[in-house]
């Protein structure tokens, strides 16, 4: 049994200035104001669009991210139906095989210290789930049958692609204090990364959640961000 922290990996994201100029060109098509394009016009225009609520133009640029999280959090992520998703399948991934180390991998519940009774109860139950899974496989069950005993804490990988308007929507919901702490553990550092890579578009959300971003940056494992 292996226990890891969640992380993300940016798979595809256009250069920040290219994002601004692309969206500016789309927006100015609406107003036929292409003649107003200048070296510094994109940022000014996009700030105005954000303020006015004209957010549809942000749909013209997308980014793809690989998220490594637990199955419970992945169920929340895939509810964002305007994204495209590709997820690790427990029907076909047989964790008894050598490629998986003949063990299941779990996401650490960071809200419990490893010395706490709660964490020890969790760890004990995860070990029982792993034993049950491997025994079922050894007894002739297929991976898709044996997965019935796998827990919500099981690690999964999910590639998600969304346009900038949808990413804003995701961050607005999933960085909120009302969200599950483990999805905030991922989304707050991811918002920070988007804000650093792409000017203007996420500035307001970054400022809204800045205190929590700073707090969660000491918790989240960002992984091999490329």
């Amino acid at each position: 049994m292996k226990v890891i922290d969640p992380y993300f990996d940016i798979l595809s994201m256009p250069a920040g200035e290219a994002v601004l100029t692309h969206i500016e060109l789309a927006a100015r098509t609406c107003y036929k104001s292409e003649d107003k394009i200048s070296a510094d016009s994109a940022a000014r225009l996009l700030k105005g669009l954000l303020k006015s609520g004209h957010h549809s133009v942000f749909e013209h640029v997308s980014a793809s991210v690989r998220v490594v999280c637990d199955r419970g959090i992945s169920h929340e992520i895939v509810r964002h139906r305007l994204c495209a998703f590709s997820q690790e399948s427990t029907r076909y991934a047989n964790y008894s095989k050598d490629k998986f180390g003949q063990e299941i991998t779990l996401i650490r519940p960071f809200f419990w210290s490893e010395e706490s009774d709660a964490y020890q109860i969790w760890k004990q139950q995860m070990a029982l789930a792993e034993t049950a899974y491997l025994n079922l496989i050894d007894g002739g069950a297929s991976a898709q049958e044996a997965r019935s005993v796998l827990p919500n804490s099981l690690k999964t990988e999910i590639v998600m692609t969304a346009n900038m308007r949808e990413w804003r929507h995701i961050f607005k919901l999933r960085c909120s204090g009302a969200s599950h702490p483990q999805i905030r553990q991922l989304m707050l550092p991811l918002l920070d990364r988007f804000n650093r890579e792409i000017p203007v578009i996420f500035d307001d959300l970054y400022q809204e959640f800045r205190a929590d971003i700073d707090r969660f940056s000491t918790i989240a494992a960002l992984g091999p961000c490329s």
Side-chain angles (χ1 to χ4, degrees), residues 196-215:
R196 285 188 281 119
E197 298 290 339
I198 303 174
V200 180
I201 296 176
F202 301 97
D203 285 354
D204 58 333
L205 296 175
Y206 176 80
Q207 291 301 323
E208 180 177 352
F209 297 114
R210 184 170 184 175
D212 289 328
I213 288 171
D214 292 342
R215 181 164 62 90

Side-chain angles (χ1 to χ4, degrees), residues 10-16 19 62-65 164 193-194 197-198:
I10 305 292
L11 299 183
S12 175
M13 178 181 287
V19 171
S62 298
S64 295
V65 178
M164 294 299 141
R193 180 66 183 274
F194 269 63
E197 298 290 339
I198 303 174

Side-chain angles (χ1 to χ4, degrees), residues 41-77:
S41 61
R44 287 187 285 108
L45 177 64
L46 268 61
K47 288 177 183 178
L49 294 172
L50 286 169
K51 186 175 181 179
S52 68
H54 186 181
H55 295 174
S56 63
V57 293
F58 296 103
E59 297 174 12
H60 290 289
V61 178
S62 298
S64 295
V65 178
R66 181 191 305 275
V67 172
V68 178
C69 62
D70 73 26
R71 297 293 298 194
I73 294 305
S74 76
H75 296 333
E76 298 187 26
I77 290 174

